[in-house]
Amino acid sequence: MTEAADSGIPDRKRVGFIGLGHMGSAMARRLVEAGYDVTVWSRTAAHVDELVADGATRADSPEDAVAAGHLFSMLANEDVVRAVLPPGLLSAAPPGFSHVNHATISARAAGEFAAHAAAAGYGYVSAPVIGRPNAAAAGALTILAAGAPEAVEASMPMLEVMGRRVWQYGSSASAANVAKIAVNFLIAHALQALAESITLLERYGLDAGQFVQMINDSIFPGVIYGGYGDAIARGSYTPPGFTTVLGLKDVMLAVQAAADAGVDLPTGPLLREIFETSIAELGEDLDWAAIAEITRGRVVPGTP
């Protein structure tokens, strides 16, 4: 047994990480702290500087991160994935290469990326995550993983460093993305339900903060009704953990996935309208809980 194994730290292994926003930076830092040699690249140079100061290796281009041989990426959406990691770049990756894509993307895009990987002879894993940046920093993310079995198995040690639990969804890469889309669609409903209940309480002069404490202590314990409920009660939406723009994207991913499967989601159009109105009236930089302000601002004509 090696000294690294005796200490509980994995033998140093070179991996790449692309996309160093709030989530990606925290996830990459977990790998660095666990003893991995992490080659990092981001479109924002300052984010790279911060990780390099913590022990990561600077990549001058996405190609440098791909050359590490095992790439993790946390990019905003599927179009950014296509732009930063085009098929030609990934086809030129070293033998044994695997790409672990943490972005919340459509099932269609996941199928596209997995098909290219299979044709080009490298591994592809969809691994969207559940949790905010503070959970990522603590290694407490829930990770959903699906894709080529060999690539999933090879990625598990790193995924387990970044998450408290990895849920495997089989060999079809799109399965993990459908599950994540469904989770975010559920959260969007919770935000709107909180908005409506809190608005009702406020119109009757009741204490919304006390209400949130009560439901979190009884029927709805947890980060969604507790954390977002508190933010809505206080009207506090900065800094955003997840913006309304990203929330709208994920609502539309759910609507698209439903259409592809022949499923009717009756609340889909309503949630789309609420998110679009929030972005138009309140801006793009607030936490997605800010959709509550749209419900707060709507008064039935003729009422005080």
Side-chain angles (χ1 to χ4, degrees):
M1 184 175 290
T2 66
E3 180 180 347
D6 286 335
S7 68
I9 299 174
D11 292 334
R12 289 191 67 83
K13 181 178 180 181
R14 191 172 174 227
V15 300
F17 205 110
I18 284 179
L20 303 175
H22 294 303
M23 292 294 292
S25 290
M27 294 165 71
R29 187 169 285 108
R30 288 288 303 177
L31 293 173
V32 172
E33 291 171 349
Y36 288 93
D37 183 359
V38 187
T39 301
V40 295
W41 184 87
S42 181
R43 292 180 293 182
T44 302
H47 295 166
V48 177
D49 294 340
E50 292 170 4
L51 266 295
V52 169
D54 288 335
T57 299
R58 184 185 305 276
D60 293 325
S61 66
E63 288 85 349
D64 290 344
V66 170
H70 204 131
L71 178 70
F72 296 79
S73 64
M74 176 53 95
L75 297 167
N77 56 53
E78 57 204 55
D79 291 333
V80 177
V81 174
R82 292 188 185 98
V84 174
L85 297 170
L89 171 59
L90 296 176
S91 295
F97 175 75
S98 288
H99 174 206
V100 181
N101 186 357
H102 292 294
T104 300
I105 60 174
S106 68
R108 293 181 191 176
E112 169 196 330
F113 298 152
H116 178 267
Y122 64 88
Y124 178 81
V125 179
S126 285
V129 304
I130 299 170
R132 292 166 72 93
N134 60 336
L141 294 171
T142 295
I143 301 177
L144 318 179
E150 299 84 359
V152 172
E153 182 179 0
S155 304
M156 283 298 291
M158 291 79 93
L159 295 177
E160 289 172 345
V161 165
M162 294 184 284
R164 66 176 185 83
R165 183 166 180 177
V166 180
W167 293 81
Q168 296 193 42
Y169 275 83
S171 60
S172 175
S174 62
N177 293 106
V178 172
K180 175 60 190 300
I181 290 166
V183 167
N184 280 13
F185 196 55
L186 183 61
I187 297 173
H189 281 86
L191 295 176
Q192 182 58 24
L194 282 163
E196 294 180 23
S197 293
I198 288 173
T199 298
L200 177 62
L201 282 164
E202 290 174 340
R203 293 292 166 85
Y204 276 85
L206 301 180
D207 186 337
Q210 182 186 44
F211 173 78
V212 170
Q213 291 176 18
M214 180 270 292
I215 62 172
N216 198 51
D217 187 55
S218 55
I219 56 173
F220 290 126
V223 296
I224 300 301
Y225 285 89
Y228 286 123
D230 179 65
I232 292 170
R234 293 185 294 107
S236 176
Y237 309 115
T238 56
F242 193 77
T243 66
T244 47
V245 171
L246 292 175
L248 175 61
K249 179 207 71 164
D250 288 354
V251 166
M252 296 312 299
L253 287 178
V255 170
Q256 179 191 93
D260 289 346
V263 175
D264 178 36
L265 299 179
T267 58
L270 171 63
L271 287 172
R272 175 180 182 174
E273 186 268 329
I274 291 287
F275 273 93
E276 288 178 340
T277 303
S278 178
I279 291 167
E281 295 185 1
L282 305 177
E284 300 183 353
D285 298 325
L286 297 179
D287 191 273
W288 63 336
I291 65 167
E293 298 306 314
I294 303 307
T295 298
R296 268 194 173 119
R298 291 181 173 174
V299 178
V300 176
T303 59

